[in-house]
Amino acid sequence: CVTLDVQAACRDTTVTQELLKEGFHRDLLVKVELGEDAGGCAVAAQVRLPAGIYVDPYELATLQQHNLTKAVLFPDVIDVEAPEYLARDLVLLLFLEREARCSRCFRAAVPVHARYHRPAQGTEEALVVLESPEVLLCCCHSHLSAECWEPAEVDTPCSSDDTSSCQWHSTKHRPAYEESMLRVPVGLRDHSSLVCSLTLLTTGLCSGLILAAACKYGHFL
């Protein structure tokens, strides 16, 4: 009975995520409501991004310079031009800001981008599944309930502006599992021959026009 009571108390923390906007360029909004007051603690969401979606590190750096978002990206070197089948998973530690009218409510948003996928057979879209984030707390000057929180293996400071180490904690009893799905338009394999033919024809025509213009108007020594 004690175990059940502890689990019920620890399940009060909720986390939700939304993919805003349409197309390949979205905003990921993460909202967390803690089951207990986290006064003096830093609150973050650890988001695992599959290969089909990424955060642009250059865009993230610009946003942080203007104090529009705070986050740490692992790894911090990313090939933003790579297609989905040549990319790797990423981990984003997104620092959350407290909401003005709710002392236990936190939120943050960050731009995310979908990668190009291989052409598919019989469908015009691919699904990118984004798992529910993990809620993390870093309390350098206070203590958390041992029944609800456990040390997490996160090697980063409590703040993106700080360099000192701090112990992060994650919930022992995970909130209800939720996931978001991003639908990415893809080409059809049935159209590959047509696309290749038109591309080759267009390339040859443009090359011929450029060569003709160079021969007519160019000055050769």
Side-chain angles (χ1 to χ4, degrees):
C1 294
V2 174
T3 302
L4 292 177
D5 291 339
V6 170
Q7 289 181 350
C10 297
R11 285 175 180 168
D12 289 339
T13 296
T14 59
V15 54
T16 58
Q17 63 181 354
E18 300 178 54
L19 285 168
L20 309 178
K21 301 180 181 179
E22 299 292 336
F24 278 80
H25 308 287
R26 305 290 192 93
D27 284 339
L28 175 63
L29 173 63
V30 178
K31 296 185 289 186
V32 169
E33 183 175 351
L34 298 176
E36 56 187 288
D37 190 5
C41 299
V43 182
Q46 183 168 262
V47 186
R48 299 190 178 276
L49 302 176
I53 191 172
Y54 70 96
V55 172
D56 188 333
Y58 305 104
E59 182 180 26
L60 183 61
T62 300
L63 292 173
Q64 296 197 118
Q65 288 177 358
H66 292 84
N67 202 30
L68 297 177
T69 190
K70 295 180 180 180
V72 179
L73 196 58
F74 306 96
D76 56 356
V77 178
I78 300 172
D79 185 357
V80 299
E81 301 294 337
E84 178 270 341
Y85 48 88
L86 295 179
R88 56 187 295 188
D89 295 356
L90 306 172
V91 175
L92 175 71
L93 187 65
L94 183 61
F95 296 93
L96 309 182
E97 298 290 339
R98 187 190 306 271
E99 295 188 15
R101 299 183 179 181
C102 178
S103 62
R104 296 184 296 137
C105 302
F106 299 80
R107 64 186 295 161
V110 63
V112 295
H113 309 275
R115 294 187 183 274
Y116 290 105
H117 288 61
R118 292 183 186 274
Q121 186 73 37
T123 180
E124 295 182 356
E125 59 184 18
L127 293 180
V128 178
V129 179
L130 193 60
E131 297 180 355
S132 179
E134 181 181 5
V135 180
L136 298 174
L137 264 66
C138 186
C139 304
C140 296
H141 306 292
S142 57
H143 299 282
L144 293 171
S145 169
E147 292 82 5
C148 298
W149 300 88
E150 62 184 355
E153 296 182 1
V154 178
D155 186 19
T156 190
C158 284
S159 169
S160 60
D161 301 325
D162 194 6
T163 57
S164 59
S165 61
C166 185
Q167 177 63 62
W168 288 89
H169 290 77
S170 62
T171 55
K172 284 186 176 180
H173 307 285
R174 300 290 185 264
Y177 180 83
E178 295 180 0
E179 62 183 23
S180 299
M181 288 189 297
L182 174 64
R183 300 180 183 273
V184 182
V186 297
L188 291 174
R189 291 182 183 176
D190 298 339
H191 296 165
S192 58
S193 298
L194 177 61
V195 171
C196 290
S197 299
L198 290 177
T199 301
L200 182 61
L201 179 62
T202 303
T203 303
L205 179 61
C206 293
S207 300
L209 292 175
I210 294 173
L211 182 60
C215 293
K216 184 176 182 179
Y217 301 106
H219 298 281
F220 302 97
L221 297 179

